[in-house]
Amino acid sequence: MKKSIQYTDEPMQPGELVPNLLPPPEELDRARPARIKVTMELSFESLDYFQSYAQKHGGSYQRMIRNLLDIYVHKMKERNNSEKIKKKAVSVEGDAHFSQSR
């Protein structure tokens, strides 16, 4: 038997504020980089949103989805690189502190 969850009326702690890393839909119908074909399943709601927007604004819903994924990957790579740089800086500071304390 699973343990039941005990809920309380305690106030919730705010989470980390994350900047909006996704662009508005009108910026998603742009350039054409090298591509590879894939087959994937999308929710009806997501597909309907992109198809409706593309139809109203004369764009390609497939290109919008592709560019959205490309932008997301680019932003995540930037975030990961900045985290690596921060970790390296902390490591270097720690090494310098260790050297000075000897």
Side-chain angles (χ1 to χ4, degrees), residues 28-32 60-67:
L28 296 175
D29 191 21
R30 290 197 252 157
R32 296 179 127 185
S60 164
Y61 77 91
Q62 292 172 329
R63 189 174 309 132
M64 290 174 65
I65 294 169
R66 183 171 48 249
N67 288 338

Side-chain angles (χ1 to χ4, degrees), residues 40-98:
M40 62 187 296
E41 293 181 12
L42 302 173
S43 69
F44 175 80
E45 183 179 15
S46 295
L47 183 60
D48 184 56
Y49 173 81
F50 284 106
Q51 286 178 329
S52 296
Y53 193 92
Q55 187 176 21
K56 286 178 190 173
H57 300 282
S60 164
Y61 77 91
Q62 292 172 329
R63 189 174 309 132
M64 290 174 65
I65 294 169
R66 183 171 48 249
N67 288 338
L68 175 68
L69 291 172
D70 289 344
I71 291 166
Y72 178 80
V73 167
H74 178 74
K75 294 286 186 179
M76 293 307 294
K77 284 181 177 181
E78 283 179 351
R79 177 188 276 179
N80 290 340
N81 286 337
S82 69
E83 288 175 0
K84 286 178 185 176
I85 290 170
K86 286 179 188 176
K87 286 180 183 177
K88 189 172 185 177
V90 169
S91 173
V92 169
E93 288 174 7
D95 290 346
H97 177 70
F98 179 73

Side-chain angles (χ1 to χ4, degrees), residues 11-17:
M12 294 180 64
Q13 297 295 323
E16 175 187 353
L17 181 61

